[in-house]
Amino acid sequence: MQSKANVLQTAEVIEASDLANIISSVTEGNTILYFHIEDLYLSIKTFSAPTAAIAETDTESSVIGPQNALTESLETNLSLLKRRIQNPNLKIKNFVVGPETNTKVSVLYMENIVNEENLDIVIKKIEKIDHPGFNDISILQQLLDEHPFSPFPQYHETVRPDIAVSGLLDGRIVVAMENSNGIIICPISFFELFISPEDYYNRWTTASLLRSLRFFGFFLTIILTPTYISVLTYHPEMLPFDVLLNLQESRGKVPFSPFMEVLFMELVIEILREAGSRMPTKIGQTIGIVGGIVIGTAAVEASLVSNTLIVIVAVSALLSFLPPNFIMSNTSRFVRYFFIFSAGLFGLYGQMLAFAWLFHHLLSLTSLNTPYMTPLIPRKWTDLFDSVVRMPTKFLKYKPGIARAQTKKRPPVDKEE
Amino acid sequence: MKKLILLFFIVGITLTAGCTETGQRTSVEELSLVSSIGFDLVNDKEMRMTVGIPQPAGESPELTESYSVNTEMVSEGLVKLSSKTDKMIVINQLRTLLFSEEFAKNGKVTEIIEHFYRNPTVGNKVRIVIVKDKVEDVLKADYPENQHMDAYLNELFEPKLHTSFSPFTSIHDYMNTQTDPVYHTMVPYLEKKEGSLEVTKVALFDSEKLVDTISTEQSLLIQALVGLKKLSPIDIKFKDNETDKHLFLEQIESDVNIKGNKNIDFPKLNIDLKIRAVLVEYKGNRDLSKVDEYEKLEKEINKHLEREIKEILEKLQKLELDPAGLSEYFRMQHKGKWTEDLTKKVIASLDYKVKVEMKVLNTGTLR
Amino acid sequence: MMDDNKLKVLNRYHVVFLIQNVIIGTTVLSLPHRLSSMGYSQWWMPLLFGVVANLLLIPMIWLGLKYRNDTLFVIHEKLFGKWAGKTINAILLIYFIVVLSAVSSSFLQLIQVVALVDREITAPLIILLLMTIYIVHGGIKSIARFCIMSFFMTLGLLYFLNWGIADGDIRHTMPIFNFTAKQFFTASKKGLMAIGGFELISFYFPYIINQKKALKHASFGLWLSILFIFFFTFVSVMFFSEWQLKNVLYPVLNLFKEGQLSYLERLDVLGITMWVFLILSTTAAYLWAAKKGIDSIRSSPKKTHLYFVAVFVFILVKFPYMEAFQRILFERVFYLMYALFLWPILLCLIHMIKPKKNEGLE
């Protein structure tokens, strides 16, 4: 009996009485081979899921460093990660979530580094999840959030395997999902959302420069246009003489208040961006350029907005694309509107109150019960080596405080080879 | 959950109020931002107030609009002027206050400056200027080289190296020296000359009244005594000196060290001035390639500067004025309240010892 | 929110910055004016205040160590019995509300003068109070975190003193002891309230993790803020004449006015609006203490108590036809503050006299 099963390598013996198993085997795409005489059922894997080839990433591209992105097949993704960490300590726990879609979810961690408390939290949260179906891992991410109403992402979602690997080596936990090309890394701090993997491949000087640009760019994009409103409406005395004359000239024919002007222009930018991303790539690019230049120039000539504002809005729109994490860049746009309204209401005082709100909100956020603002109020002094200034690589051997990595066990890998 | 409701409440208020209330605010282009105000004396009660309002290019043919009005009080004048212009007059961007010499001699300046000092919307960096004739003429004149009159005035009183003789008196400096019993106020003195403006002298105040003026060269020496580190170029013309006639010093760095004898009844001051400078032009009969000749020249300059400093100090002594704050060295050691009378007494009986040490660095790149 | 479950939440940084930031409120802006009766000799007064405050900290912390898990409200009830304790707590609660109103109203008046000219302060006041409530919602630890943040945010304000130092005259600091006893008394009476805020440690002491070292951390925070205050006072003395110190209500604000950047003039507007961080940390701490007060009086902790306090503050600041009363109240409240400074000494004495069986949890 077994001899027949041994002939076909992909075959599997199924008990005759297990009808349910047979049916589910068929629905999975297998072929059932039935031998009358022996009453033997063989389930043969004649199914192979079509998977996309490993490609480069569009959303998180970098100039140097590994270019491969994760795909939409869990199996491929796991192999991509395992290929990078050849270590028996890399463990995977599998779950199935969503009673309707039955989506496979894998939790990856380094057994010797990971903080077990964190791991428990993640596993418990995944087991508890009650959601009918999953199309993408970002849904899972939002379900795992501790502060679901916050505009800020509390876990890092990425399509780059190298980010996942460095997360694993820090002692973080990586969650991957079938049919989703993203993975999530937890816990994460606010500042780490501004770190691009390229920072570690560049020289430390360039990396530090770019990193601080991204970090302060986030705050700049939030305050640029609101400051325009508050200075023009509430604090004209703050402008230097020459700037004042220029502004008066360019604002001269604009019929709206600065607040309405800014709101109008910001909305135009949003529309351009949204329209551009909905259109096929080639048309999208043209629309972006044409829309930007034509609408901008025409709006100035029609005296709808001042040309100073066009520059400010354009710069702040560009700045909002600096964070490597796309969700963060979207968040900065949302938060900006909050600042615009408070500036329109109370000028600089409103802006400062909005800042107080922003900081307090960020301070009260947690990611896996770890404070979100960790590097600003460091957990470990060694975290400062890898903050706004990235020190040269030889200083970066310490695990970040936020992951609360184990320190006692040493990896037993060295002797096994 | 409560926190969230609260958050949405805040956002909600911000949104609704942000949309409704902004309409009432006037923004920059709807304001007439006065940048300079001038005061002329009309009679005992009234003064003539002239304001200069910079205009954005392209809005009106004139780059600076100026309006005049007769008034008794500043605020009243501003209200009167508001009805003359098409926009609301505000003084948030005020930069220069001009007073005619006559006005300052009448002793009314302090009262007006105090009015502006009180107003929180006016900055501290408003410069104060005394004008030789009528302020109205200065503000209403055309300056062919400098179309933008307000920008011109503003530039003129930005501290720069080549005008470092000027005290650049701001509202704060004025109030500070007026109310400090030690100091007497100095204010730059402006003259209008053929389509341009020039700071020709520095006016000296005795309490609230303008009493005298000193030349810019003398003022520079006072600035050096006050402790200014970098001085404007000095032009030295020697008198009664056979060999040397005329020289010009640039890139002057000065360091002053003053010591008092702590005795108010017989005050003595040792003034030690160290100067390093570059000699750029020399007219005379010395051969400067020789070291000893060079040293002799330095001594001549020392002597000349010492004499100049003594001259100005004697002049101030006669006026019983202390714009350099020399009596502060005695106030420091004095217990109890210091009064202006004490300052006058100290200055009048002060015994100076002036020593200047000059170090000429080189004579440029050519021998 | 999760912090509510655990009692001990404040680590050493939290203690340092809670002390530091709660002290700095609006009084610092006007301190050189308050001390002006001493003329130029006032510049070392903040250092003296620092010594006084440091000495006063000792009984507070000693008392705290005797009652490790109790706020001052609970200590009152334990020492004086239920009803007498509750009465004292009610007085304290009123005191907190008055301080809160005084701080917010004086700050908003400044905002009205400098940043929001000719605007009603009602809406800014509501927003300020709502922000305060929002911060207090997270509990004392979240206030402490906010304090750390605002310390680093406002550290840049010290740079604005740059111009004041450049234009000032260091000779004003001499002679050092040029004042009479009466002038000294007036100055210390008016000025001592600038260090008000450290007394709140009696209320958050039970939340400190390392209580044994609390004195060290609290003193460090105290001297950090004294240094801040000292800088402002010192530069004001250098920069102003005695007349100006007497007549300019907010000398520190005028110091900010002196600054100028090439792309931004009038740093006073920026400075005063940034000051809101320091105000928020102060009001948040007082609101938190006031909330604990209501909790202990009504013997049940409820979040709605926060809103009660805020409404009272709003009424006190905005209630019409009370301006004269309000002014007297806000000016005289510092007597109660000084009493609260000395209060723990009395409590220590009572604690020592009382029979041992009544002693709190040791």
Side-chain angles (χ1 to χ4, degrees):
Chain A
M1 236 164 84
Q2 286 300 320
S3 59
K4 279 205 173 81
N6 287 344
V7 172
L8 279 164
Q9 283 217 333
T10 55
E12 204 181 303
V13 183
I14 295 178
E15 291 294 317
S17 53
D18 194 356
L19 187 62
N21 206 345
I22 292 173
I23 293 171
S24 80
S25 180
V26 171
T27 57
E28 271 173 29
N30 294 350
T31 309
I32 301 290
L33 193 60
Y34 175 53
F35 297 88
H36 288 275
I37 304 164
E38 287 95 343
D39 194 25
L40 172 72
Y41 292 86
L42 286 185
S43 154
I44 302 159
K45 278 192 186 162
T46 48
F47 156 78
S48 96
T51 52
I54 296 169
E56 291 181 12
T57 161
D58 279 339
T59 46
E60 292 175 65
S61 55
S62 70
V63 182
I64 46 176
Q67 301 289 336
N68 284 351
L70 296 170
T71 65
E72 289 182 11
S73 142
L74 180 62
E75 222 166 286
T76 322
N77 289 351
L78 293 182
S79 76
L80 273 172
L81 293 179
K82 282 181 184 165
R83 208 161 69 194
R84 285 177 161 82
I85 307 177
Q86 300 192 352
N87 186 329
N89 281 315
L90 176 63
K91 301 283 174 190
I92 300 175
K93 278 205 168 116
N94 292 315
F95 301 88
V96 173
V97 294
E100 306 293 341
T101 53
N102 285 326
T103 316
K104 277 188 206 153
V105 169
S106 299
V107 175
L108 289 86
Y109 57 94
M110 298 294 289
E111 197 182 26
N112 58 333
I113 313 177
V114 76
N115 179 291
E116 270 151 26
E117 205 180 311
N118 281 353
L119 187 63
D120 276 354
I121 301 173
V122 174
I123 289 172
K124 275 200 189 112
K125 277 191 171 172
I126 291 179
E127 279 169 347
K128 263 190 213 157
I129 275 175
D130 174 30
H131 194 74
F134 292 85
N135 270 329
D136 188 56
I137 198 160
S138 44
I139 297 170
L140 181 71
Q141 185 200 344
Q142 291 175 46
L143 291 169
L144 291 179
D145 276 352
E146 279 144 42
H147 306 266
F149 285 94
S150 166
F152 288 91
Q154 290 144 46
Y155 301 106
H156 192 13
E157 188 183 343
T158 178
V159 296
R160 294 185 61 113
D162 50 340
I163 299 183
V165 166
S166 52
L168 281 171
L169 295 182
D170 286 345
R172 289 178 228 256
I173 298 151
V174 167
V175 183
M177 185 189 258
E178 182 70 280
N179 304 327
S180 159
N181 62 349
I183 49 153
I184 55 179
I185 302 172
C186 42
I188 195 81
S189 69
F190 174 68
F191 180 72
E192 280 162 333
L193 291 168
F194 297 96
I195 294 178
S196 154
E198 224 178 343
D199 288 353
Y200 298 103
Y201 312 142
N202 259 321
R203 299 299 300 169
W204 73 280
T205 43
T206 324
S208 309
L209 182 76
L210 294 177
R211 199 180 263 195
S212 34
L213 193 70
R214 275 182 234 125
F215 185 60
F216 295 111
F218 174 79
F219 294 100
L220 211 56
T221 184
I222 293 177
I223 59 165
L224 262 184
T225 40
T227 311
Y228 175 85
I229 301 176
S230 28
V231 168
L232 257 62
T233 14
Y234 292 93
H235 321 290
E237 66 270 19
M238 286 182 81
L239 291 168
F241 194 70
D242 310 332
V243 182
L244 173 81
L245 289 181
N246 287 340
L247 270 178
Q248 267 191 329
E249 188 189 334
S250 67
R251 279 274 307 158
K253 283 177 187 161
V254 180
F256 310 117
S257 71
F259 173 73
M260 290 312 288
E261 188 193 359
V262 164
L263 212 57
F264 171 70
M265 215 45 225
E266 290 280 4
L267 280 176
V268 168
I269 289 272
E270 292 299 323
I271 291 165
L272 275 178
R273 178 174 7 208
E274 194 57 23
S277 66
R278 294 283 160 271
M279 280 173 210
T281 330
K282 281 180 186 153
I283 308 174
Q285 277 175 358
T286 343
I287 281 288
I289 296 164
V290 169
I293 295 172
V294 171
I295 296 187
T297 330
V300 171
E301 275 177 13
S303 301
L304 288 175
V305 287
S306 71
N307 40 19
T308 322
L309 180 68
I310 297 271
V311 178
I312 293 176
V313 166
V315 170
S316 81
L318 284 179
L319 280 172
S320 74
F321 283 110
L322 282 184
N325 186 308
F326 188 67
I327 299 186
M328 197 54 162
S329 116
N330 288 347
T331 305
S332 76
R333 282 151 60 192
F334 169 79
V335 174
R336 182 159 70 225
Y337 284 100
F338 185 67
F339 273 71
I340 287 175
F341 280 105
S342 15
L345 189 53
F346 298 123
L348 268 184
Y349 170 71
Q351 256 173 280
M352 290 297 167
L353 276 175
F355 256 122
W357 165 78
L358 178 68
F359 283 131
H360 180 68
H361 178 71
L362 288 175
L363 282 171
S364 57
L365 281 185
T366 52
S367 171
L368 280 190
N369 294 345
T370 324
Y372 198 49
M373 284 296 254
T374 290
L376 284 174
I377 304 165
R379 236 156 206 280
K380 268 162 74 175
W381 290 109
T382 48
D383 284 4
L384 293 177
F385 290 147
D386 192 12
S387 58
V388 178
V389 173
R390 178 184 83 83
M391 296 296 277
T393 310
K394 76 177 211 184
F395 292 98
L396 301 182
K397 56 189 172 191
Y398 307 100
K399 308 255 176 292
I402 186 168
R404 295 191 288 170
Q406 302 175 25
T407 43
K408 289 169 213 158
K409 291 183 212 162
R410 300 292 338 146
V413 214
D414 308 53
K415 282 177 189 170
E416 282 188 17
E417 293 209 9
Chain B
M1 207 45 213
K2 282 242 177 71
K3 210 158 95 180
L4 280 164
I5 295 171
L6 191 65
L7 175 66
F8 281 114
F9 191 51
I10 295 179
V11 175
I13 286 194
T14 320
L15 288 180
T16 48
C19 291
T20 50
E21 282 200 40
T22 40
Q24 301 162 6
R25 291 290 305 182
T26 39
S27 92
V28 180
E29 74 282 358
E30 285 148 36
L31 299 171
S32 274
L33 293 154
V34 176
S35 106
S36 43
I37 306 184
F39 296 91
D40 283 308
L41 200 66
V42 176
N43 53 40
D44 277 350
K45 266 188 170 179
E46 284 200 320
M47 56 196 173
R48 189 157 177 82
M49 205 167 118
T50 313
V51 295
I53 303 163
Q55 297 296 318
E59 270 220 345
S60 81
E62 293 274 321
L63 284 176
T64 303
E65 281 178 8
S66 45
Y67 301 92
S68 298
V69 75
N70 282 4
T71 173
E72 281 179 35
M73 281 181 297
V74 181
S75 321
E76 184 201 348
L78 287 174
V79 172
K80 277 187 192 169
L81 284 168
S82 275
S83 54
K84 284 196 181 183
T85 58
D86 50 343
K87 298 169 188 166
M88 201 172 108
I89 281 196
V90 290
I91 51 172
N92 294 27
Q93 277 277 355
L94 187 64
R95 275 147 207 282
T96 334
L97 281 176
L98 304 99
F99 299 92
S100 70
E101 192 179 346
E102 206 186 350
F103 196 88
K105 278 188 175 153
N106 229 298
K108 276 183 164 181
V109 177
T110 308
E111 184 187 321
I112 286 172
I113 290 177
E114 214 182 312
H115 171 89
F116 288 107
Y117 190 61
R118 225 172 266 286
N119 192 332
T121 54
V122 177
N124 266 358
K125 288 264 159 116
V126 181
R127 308 276 175 205
I128 293 162
V129 190
I130 303 293
V131 175
K132 193 183 174 197
D133 297 312
K134 283 188 94 181
V135 179
E136 196 177 345
D137 296 343
V138 170
L139 284 179
K140 287 194 172 166
D142 274 333
Y143 303 97
E145 263 87 59
N146 293 285
Q147 292 283 324
H148 225 301
M149 204 279 299
D150 279 296
Y152 182 34
L153 268 180
N154 191 31
E155 294 275 298
L156 208 55
F157 295 103
E158 276 295 300
K160 282 186 212 86
L161 183 66
H162 67 273
T163 50
S164 65
F165 55 82
S166 159
F168 300 114
T169 317
S170 69
I171 278 200
H172 165 80
D173 296 333
Y174 185 88
M175 285 316 286
N176 191 26
T177 48
Q178 277 287 308
T179 55
D180 196 323
V182 168
Y183 283 92
H184 288 101
T185 314
M186 285 195 289
V187 179
Y189 185 95
L190 192 74
E191 270 183 65
K192 181 169 171 271
K193 287 182 175 173
E194 294 288 315
S196 72
L197 296 169
E198 194 185 335
V199 179
T200 50
K201 287 187 271 188
V202 171
L204 292 177
F205 279 66
D206 186 358
S207 54
E208 298 189 350
K209 282 182 187 167
L210 187 153
V211 283
D212 206 344
T213 56
I214 50 174
S215 70
T216 53
E217 289 85 9
Q218 288 175 323
S219 167
L220 183 68
L221 292 175
I222 291 181
Q223 293 300 325
L225 291 186
V226 170
L228 195 69
K229 295 280 175 220
K230 293 204 168 167
L231 305 181
S232 63
I234 305 181
D235 181 18
I236 296 179
K237 278 180 193 153
F238 290 101
K239 295 163 200 163
D240 31 272
N241 187 328
E242 292 291 301
T243 40
D244 308 304
K245 282 170 192 155
H246 195 171
L247 58 82
F248 197 76
L249 297 172
E250 261 185 14
Q251 300 176 30
I252 304 167
E253 285 169 29
S254 86
D255 188 18
V256 71
N257 190 6
I258 302 178
K259 276 201 181 104
N261 70 341
K262 308 181 183 180
N263 188 339
I264 310 182
D265 300 319
F266 304 100
K268 269 185 193 166
L269 271 186
N270 272 335
I271 300 172
D272 209 349
L273 190 66
K274 279 185 188 140
I275 294 181
R276 292 147 65 88
V278 176
L279 180 69
V280 281
E281 259 188 286
Y282 171 75
K283 268 184 198 162
N285 305 328
R286 277 184 215 282
D287 180 7
L288 290 183
S289 56
K290 286 178 188 156
V291 179
D292 52 334
E293 288 285 293
Y294 218 93
E295 279 171 1
K296 277 181 194 163
L297 177 67
E298 278 177 1
K299 272 181 197 153
E300 286 295 323
I301 302 174
N302 285 350
K303 240 194 266 170
H304 177 84
L305 287 176
E306 274 166 25
R307 205 182 317 128
E308 295 255 299
I309 291 177
K310 271 188 186 153
E311 239 169 64
I312 170 72
L313 287 179
E314 270 161 26
K315 181 175 180 182
L316 293 174
Q317 216 158 7
K318 260 183 216 150
L319 292 164
E320 294 190 343
L321 292 183
D322 187 10
L326 292 175
S327 41
E328 179 77 24
Y329 291 99
F330 297 94
R331 190 207 62 83
M332 275 169 77
Q333 313 291 348
H334 177 77
K335 258 214 154 207
K337 204 171 159 59
W338 186 268
T339 58
E340 205 178 332
D341 292 337
L342 276 173
T343 303
K344 294 210 162 197
K345 191 187 134 202
V346 165
I347 286 298
S349 57
L350 194 54
D351 189 12
Y352 302 99
K353 244 180 215 160
V354 183
K355 198 179 154 204
V356 179
E357 259 178 70
M358 180 82 191
K359 179 81 192 143
V360 174
L361 287 179
N362 57 26
T363 50
T365 48
L366 283 177
R367 274 179 70 112
Chain C
M1 294 256 200
M2 58 162 193
D3 294 340
D4 290 348
N5 309 327
K6 269 194 304 179
L7 186 62
K8 304 266 184 273
V9 284
L10 301 173
N11 67 25
R12 53 194 163 148
Y13 300 110
H14 293 144
V15 178
V16 168
F17 288 106
L18 257 178
I19 292 268
Q20 193 270 341
N21 245 323
V22 174
I23 289 181
I24 296 179
T26 39
T27 333
V28 180
L29 290 169
S30 61
L31 185 64
H33 167 70
R34 285 172 184 278
L35 296 175
S36 63
S37 69
M38 281 173 72
Y40 287 149
S41 308
Q42 57 158 283
W43 61 269
W44 49 268
M45 283 299 274
L47 300 177
L48 183 73
F49 291 160
V51 175
V52 171
N54 215 159
L55 288 177
L56 290 169
L57 261 180
I58 296 170
M60 287 178 191
I61 288 182
W62 188 83
L63 191 71
L65 284 170
K66 293 289 157 209
Y67 297 86
R68 288 184 171 229
N69 291 325
D70 301 328
T71 64
L72 196 60
F73 295 119
V74 183
I75 296 176
H76 284 156
E77 289 189 28
K78 282 191 177 167
L79 282 179
F80 298 104
K82 201 176 174 195
W83 289 109
K86 282 200 175 185
T87 319
I88 295 172
N89 291 348
I91 295 172
L92 268 181
L93 177 65
I94 294 170
Y95 161 74
F96 284 141
I97 291 177
V98 175
V99 169
L100 266 171
S101 327
V103 170
S104 8
S105 110
S106 65
F107 177 68
L108 284 169
Q109 271 165 13
L110 255 176
I111 284 283
Q112 198 180 19
V113 166
V114 179
L116 291 173
V117 184
D118 54 64
R119 284 282 295 267
E120 271 289 306
I121 62 163
T122 319
L125 176 67
I126 294 176
I127 297 281
L128 185 77
L129 287 175
L130 284 177
M131 262 318 291
T132 312
I133 294 174
Y134 180 55
I135 293 168
V136 178
H137 254 303
I140 187 74
K141 188 174 176 182
S142 122
I143 299 173
R145 284 219 196 112
F146 188 78
C147 287
I148 300 180
M149 195 78 214
S150 35
F151 173 75
F152 288 110
M153 282 291 290
T154 48
L155 205 58
L157 287 177
L158 285 181
Y159 175 73
F160 292 179
L161 295 180
N162 181 354
W163 292 273
I165 296 171
D167 283 8
D169 190 342
I170 192 103
R171 291 177 294 176
H172 285 179
T173 51
M174 291 279 283
I176 299 177
F177 299 108
N178 192 11
F179 52 85
T180 62
K182 200 185 160 200
Q183 287 169 343
F184 175 76
F185 181 70
T186 326
S188 17
K189 192 180 84 179
K190 282 190 177 167
L192 194 61
M193 66 188 287
I195 54 162
F198 72 92
E199 78 274 12
L200 286 185
I201 196 172
S202 312
F203 300 92
Y204 54 77
F205 191 82
Y207 298 86
I208 296 172
I209 297 169
N210 193 346
Q211 294 181 321
K212 284 225 168 97
K213 285 201 170 169
L215 182 62
K216 200 174 113 193
H217 301 146
S219 311
F220 185 71
L222 177 75
W223 282 98
L224 207 59
S225 58
I226 291 293
L227 217 60
F228 225 84
I229 298 173
F230 174 71
F231 274 137
F232 283 127
T233 318
F234 188 79
V235 178
S236 299
V237 166
M238 277 172 70
F239 186 63
F240 292 108
S241 73
E242 287 190 330
W243 180 91
Q244 283 171 311
L245 286 174
K246 271 205 172 63
N247 288 278
V248 176
L249 277 179
Y250 295 99
V252 177
L253 192 66
N254 253 11
L255 269 180
F256 288 163
K257 262 193 185 179
E258 194 63 18
Q260 187 172 0
L261 302 172
S262 58
Y263 49 91
L264 203 64
E265 292 189 0
R266 299 297 297 280
L267 295 180
D268 55 328
V269 181
L270 190 65
I272 205 70
T273 46
M274 261 172 100
W275 208 268
V276 78
F277 281 96
L278 299 173
I279 297 301
L280 276 174
S281 53
T282 308
T283 49
Y286 274 99
L287 183 64
W288 178 84
K291 188 228 164 212
K292 287 280 161 201
I294 302 196
D295 286 354
S296 85
I297 290 169
R298 295 193 57 201
S299 308
S300 68
K302 268 191 196 141
K303 289 266 172 188
T304 41
H305 291 164
L306 275 180
Y307 298 92
F308 278 141
V309 180
V311 168
F312 275 122
V313 171
F314 181 79
I315 291 171
L316 205 54
V317 177
K318 279 307 292 179
F319 198 74
Y321 318 117
M322 299 218 307
E323 274 164 31
F325 169 69
Q326 206 184 36
R327 206 173 303 133
I328 293 168
L329 194 66
F330 292 169
E331 269 302 302
R332 298 287 157 81
V333 69
F334 60 84
Y335 288 117
L336 208 54
M337 181 182 272
Y338 300 161
L340 194 59
F341 286 175
L342 299 171
W343 184 240
I345 301 177
L346 185 73
L347 291 182
C348 288
L349 290 176
I350 295 173
H351 170 78
M352 281 190 271
I353 293 163
K354 267 210 145 184
K356 285 287 171 216
K357 57 172 185 176
N358 277 3
E359 202 168 299
L361 302 162
E362 181 72 44

